[in-house]
Amino acid sequence: MSLSPKLFIFISFLSFTISISIAQTSFKPKALVLPISQDTSSSTTQYITQIKQRTPLVPIKLTLDLGGGHFWVNCEKTNYISSTSKPILCTSSQCSLFGSHGCSAEKICGRSPSNTVTGVSTYGDIHSDIVSIHSTNGNYSTRAVSVPNFLFICGSKVLQNALPKGVTGMAGLGRTKVSFPSQLSSAFSFKNKFAICLSSSSSSFPNSNGVLFFGDGPYKLNNDVSKVLTFTPLITNPISTAPSSFLGEKSSEYFIGVKSIRVSDKNVKLNTTLLSINQKGFGGTKISTVNPYTVMETSIYKAVVKAFVKELGVPTVAPVAPFGTCFASKDISFSPMGPGVPGIDLVLQNEKVKWSIIGANSMVSVENNDVICLGFVDAGSYGAKADQVGFVVGGSQPMTAITIGAHQLENNLLQFDLDNSRLGFSSLFLEHDNCVNFNFTSSA
Ligand SMILES: *[C@@H]1O[C@H](CO)[C@@H](O)[C@H](O)[C@H]1NC(C)=O
Ligand SMILES: *[C@@H]1O[C@H](CO)[C@@H](O)[C@H](O)[C@H]1NC(C)=O
Ligand SMILES: *[C@@H]1O[C@H](CO)[C@@H](O)[C@H](O)[C@H]1NC(C)=O
């Protein structure tokens, strides 16, 4: 089926007009839903989502940035055509939501958007425009709803470097008043909660292989996975960890309180001072969707590897970058739950609350599956290859001791509850469920 461009624009315009009037009159969604897909078109492994924005509405692809404070999109003229885009003035209340900010000669509010993959920041004007997203009843996706004055920072071509082909911005889901989830929850007055479920199997839009929910559950995959969560407090790092920030700004990233690490239920001896955040904002454990793999400060990495190799009891082989610890696949047993390797537990607020990393999340197959590596990266060994691990504040003294990366998040449901400052998590492997199971077949 093909529509003439004019007709297509007319139809989009019509549906957009209808959805606005709906949003403004009766229908108030309790939750919204977006597909997530892992990029396979280029060499990145970034997770991307797609929303509709502007008038007429166009689909735009964005890299998901869990800890990113802002939503930015390339607004350079040829890339951005919309009759509803409005600059935000420096004197407006929307401008003050961005905290410290700049002001252009034209009195337009601005801030630095950052590409957290490359660490590059530029300066950009803040605008508002309409965005359209599908709502959900928790069981499947329902009608599209619009936010007429969604705020975003204007990015540029240079800021897009290292993002996948066709991706023109980043959707920051971090802890700010203007992040993607915060704006949606205030637009529709639903709970300031969102959940991500990343999948490793690839497929492209409109098919999806993972899901992002805004608002509270149910989150129905095979089962309602909002019911199977374990909770741990979210911790605030008082010092910004972003590539660009103002003095005194808190980090917009999500930190959790890992107290110790266990391999095969045995405590790994490590310098626990590194696990807490000090006054300079160093140390602690955060969660990132832009780091493909978990990155650990060198002494922690070495201690975990030593325990893991000992417990696994098979010889290591020549490592394959960016990993430092690899094995011959023939020496490892495989089951539907993934490679049979020692479990790695991140012990949280008490001995009973653990984030368990099973083989499917800890191991990565490389070299035509002949070699399988522990999917953790030593922060100290990748200075020159920082891009490969998406690690920008690196060196052997990374600002954050442990960054839990995307491979370790796959097929885990993570719910970020900002109202109660807690993280709910669950490994769907253990629930016999999968992030691909949400029904995106819209009923409207
Ligand atoms: C969602 O599914 C559950 C279980 O199948 C059912 O009880 C509930 O009524 C459904 N809710 C909606 C809004 O369709
Ligand atoms: C533990 O780490 C802290 C912070 O880097 C450091 O100051 C301290 O010397 C370390 N302790 C030991 C025993 O290595
Ligand atoms: C998905 O949801 C639609 C309603 O939007 C329903 O008609 C369809 O049967 C559902 N598909 C599956 C596989 O449950």
Side-chain angles (χ1 to χ4, degrees):
M1 187 183 77
S2 81
L3 292 173
S4 83
K6 267 187 196 148
L7 182 60
F8 180 70
I9 287 171
F10 175 71
I11 292 174
S12 328
F13 180 71
L14 198 67
S15 61
F16 146 83
T17 316
I18 292 167
S19 54
I20 291 205
S21 52
I22 288 167
Q24 284 174 348
T25 53
S26 56
F27 184 66
K28 253 201 177 175
K30 287 208 197 70
L32 306 176
V33 67
L34 282 176
I36 302 178
S37 169
Q38 188 173 26
D39 172 54
T40 46
S41 63
S42 24
S43 58
T44 82
T45 53
Q46 291 166 34
Y47 284 90
I48 53 187
T49 189
Q50 182 171 286
I51 66 160
K52 286 187 178 153
Q53 191 199 34
R54 307 167 205 181
T55 305
L57 287 171
V58 289
I60 58 166
K61 286 184 186 159
L62 303 152
T63 289
L64 280 186
D65 181 8
L66 179 66
H70 304 110
F71 185 111
W72 66 263
V73 66
N74 184 348
C75 301
E76 285 167 346
K77 277 204 176 62
T78 51
N79 291 294
Y80 202 101
I81 297 160
S82 175
S83 62
T84 44
S85 170
K86 291 188 284 272
I88 298 301
L89 298 178
C90 302
T91 48
S92 69
S93 58
Q94 288 113 308
C95 182
S96 58
L97 292 175
F98 282 79
S100 303
H101 54 264
C103 199
S104 70
E106 295 81 30
K107 299 279 182 285
I108 299 171
C109 183
R111 248 214 96 140
S112 289
S114 300
N115 177 326
T116 47
V117 177
T118 56
V120 170
S121 297
T122 54
Y123 179 83
D125 288 344
I126 296 167
H127 282 249
S128 75
D129 206 342
I130 186 163
V131 297
S132 166
I133 297 178
H134 279 276
S135 56
T136 178
N137 56 15
N139 289 357
Y140 47 83
S141 68
T142 51
R143 67 173 66 145
V145 292
S146 304
V147 179
N149 296 304
F150 187 84
L151 302 169
F152 62 98
I153 310 179
C154 282
S156 53
K157 189 117 204 318
V158 61
L159 208 58
Q160 265 177 255
N161 281 341
L163 300 187
K165 197 165 170 287
V167 172
T168 55
M170 296 185 89
L173 306 178
R175 303 180 85 173
T176 65
K177 289 179 187 147
V178 288
S179 71
F180 197 13
S182 300
Q183 288 197 59
L184 297 177
S185 89
S186 55
F188 297 110
S189 323
F190 56 61
K191 293 209 167 82
N192 198 359
K193 289 183 185 183
F194 69 95
I196 57 170
C197 202
L198 309 179
S199 164
S200 54
S201 48
S202 55
S203 125
S204 51
F205 301 114
N207 296 321
S208 138
N209 47 38
V211 55
L212 170 57
F213 295 100
F214 296 101
D216 211 347
Y219 305 138
K220 188 169 180 300
L221 303 177
N222 272 340
N223 292 302
D224 176 6
V225 289
S226 69
K227 297 285 197 296
V228 296
L229 299 172
T230 301
F231 294 97
T232 192
L234 285 170
I235 292 172
T236 302
N237 186 335
I239 312 291
S240 176
T241 46
S244 152
S245 65
F246 288 97
L247 203 63
E249 236 172 4
K250 299 187 288 219
S251 174
S252 61
E253 296 195 271
Y254 296 97
F255 284 77
I256 54 171
V258 173
K259 293 250 177 69
S260 60
I261 300 178
R262 295 175 153 244
V263 172
S264 289
D265 284 327
K266 292 180 191 144
N267 208 32
V268 177
K269 202 160 173 273
L270 35 89
N271 182 348
T272 50
T273 307
L274 297 164
L275 296 179
S276 26
I277 300 168
N278 72 14
Q279 293 122 311
K280 289 181 179 157
F282 280 64
T285 302
K286 71 180 182 188
I287 305 169
S288 163
T289 56
V290 294
N291 281 69
Y293 306 105
T294 293
V295 181
M296 291 174 159
E297 179 277 338
T298 297
S299 71
I300 298 177
Y301 175 82
K302 285 189 173 147
V304 170
V305 163
K306 193 173 160 203
F308 187 84
V309 171
K310 178 165 173 253
E311 290 298 324
L312 182 58
V314 308
T316 56
V317 300
V320 177
F323 309 111
T325 310
C326 300
F327 309 91
S329 301
K330 63 173 173 51
D331 291 340
I332 310 278
S333 65
F334 288 83
S335 80
M337 302 285 279
V341 295
I344 301 173
D345 292 335
L346 306 178
V347 182
L348 298 161
Q349 63 269 36
N350 64 55
E351 293 284 315
K352 291 209 183 82
V353 184
K354 295 178 287 192
W355 177 325
S356 298
I357 303 174
I358 62 170
N361 287 116
S362 62
M363 306 303 288
V364 181
S365 286
V366 293
E367 312 258 291
N368 295 324
N369 297 333
D370 287 343
V371 174
I372 186 163
C373 301
L374 180 63
F376 293 4
V377 173
D378 174 1
S381 65
Y382 280 94
K385 291 198 174 142
D387 296 359
Q388 267 190 48
V389 291
F391 193 69
V392 288
V393 272
S396 54
Q397 282 287 351
M399 191 163 173
T400 302
I402 302 175
T403 299
I404 303 174
H407 183 72
Q408 279 70 39
L409 305 180
E410 281 174 0
N411 235 14
N412 283 256
L413 181 83
L414 300 184
Q415 184 196 54
F416 297 85
D417 177 347
L418 285 312
D419 293 330
N420 299 302
S421 198
R422 64 179 188 173
L423 167 73
F425 59 96
S426 176
S427 170
L428 299 189
F429 288 110
L430 306 176
E431 298 295 325
H432 305 288
D433 213 326
N434 197 301
C435 296
V436 304
N437 289 340
F438 183 72
N439 181 356
F440 274 100
T441 314
S442 180
S443 64

